[in-house]
Amino acid sequence: GAGVSQSPRYKVAKRGQDVALRCDPISGHVSLFWYQQALGQGPEFLTYFQNEAQLDKSGLPSDRFFAERPEGSVSTLKIQRTQQEDSAVYLCASSLEAGRAYEQYFGPGTRLTVT
Amino acid sequence: KQEVTQIPAALSVPEGENLVLNCSFTDSAIYNLQWFRQDPGKGLTSLLLIQSSQREQTSGRLNASLDKSSGRSTLYIAASQPGDSATYLCAVRPNYGQNFVFGPGTRLSVLP
């Protein structure tokens, strides 16, 4: 079956521009996660949704970062007024149910480069 | 705050060697630990998931162990192959919250 998909796969933005990154989770998956992976580092947690509810946004680095999942399926991560330090790969993951026992399935990521 | 480290940062071995990748975490209050593989330009592929009550998991040539009290896990790869070349990430799931805390990864190169 189809896995987690993300678009665009690559995005180049000039400093100060706004960007929107899309995640299509596996159909029917309740939980959705966003992670940020800087070059040479492991992914770091940004935010977590259970259906349409954003239950944890403790990892968002600033108020320029905003995520939504209005219908409990597709999610969008928006970054306003991008800065060079926002350059990273943004990974989305989904899991079938809420709860730590369930495996997370990761998408291929969106590589954002801010020039 | 949970912190995860991995040693070595990079490893290069000839084909056929057995090897061990190490992962350490600072807080033993974990729900489970998972090893992932990441190929360049691709997402993460789950390799092995160990629940906190388990000591090890095996899948094919891979064996992962967990010593929760000492905050350590190892990933053992037997008879390495060039196709094993990738970055290997260790991630722990704390008892609190839903998300993983990842280590920085070990970049493995298996030379033909």
Side-chain angles (χ1 to χ4, degrees), chain A:
Chain A
V4 178
S5 61
Q6 294 185 245
S7 61
R9 292 293 314 279
Y10 304 92
K11 177 70 178 177
V12 178
K14 291 186 177 179
R15 189 165 62 92
Q17 284 185 332
D18 298 348
V19 298
L21 312 180
R22 177 187 170 110
C23 172
D24 285 80
I26 295 173
S27 178
H29 276 200
V30 166
S31 295
L32 186 144
F33 302 81
W34 283 99
Y35 293 85
Q36 179 190 56
Q37 187 175 23
L39 187 64
Q41 301 294 321
E44 290 193 359
F45 170 74
L46 293 177
T47 187
Y48 161 66
F49 289 86
Q50 184 177 321
N51 295 307
E52 69 278 2
Q54 189 175 19
L55 298 186
D56 187 348
K57 53 182 181 180
S58 62
L60 295 177
S62 77
D63 59 7
R64 296 185 296 104
F65 287 71
F66 172 77
E68 60 183 3
R69 194 186 185 198
E71 298 179 358
S73 55
V74 171
S75 177
T76 303
L77 177 67
K78 297 179 179 179
I79 309 173
Q80 297 176 325
R81 305 181 303 281
T82 52
Q83 303 294 318
Q84 283 193 319
E85 61 263 29
D86 300 335
S87 295
V89 175
Y90 291 85
L91 294 166
C92 175
S94 69
S95 63
L96 180 62
E97 294 287 347
R100 288 179 289 271
Y102 292 90
E103 186 171 352
Q104 291 183 20
Y105 297 86
F106 282 80
T110 294
R111 181 178 296 278
L112 172 65
T113 302
V114 181
T115 61

Side-chain angles (χ1 to χ4, degrees), chain B residues 2-44:
Chain B
Q2 177 72 267
E3 293 184 359
V4 181
T5 55
Q6 292 185 245
I7 294 173
L11 181 63
S12 184
V13 300
E15 181 177 4
E17 274 204 5
N18 303 325
L19 57 101
V20 175
L21 308 182
N22 296 289
C23 170
S24 297
F25 47 95
T26 55
D27 186 346
S28 62
I30 65 169
Y31 190 84
N32 54 36
L33 181 146
Q34 195 158 355
W35 283 91
F36 292 88
R37 168 185 173 139
Q38 186 173 32
D39 294 279
K42 298 193 177 179
L44 277 62

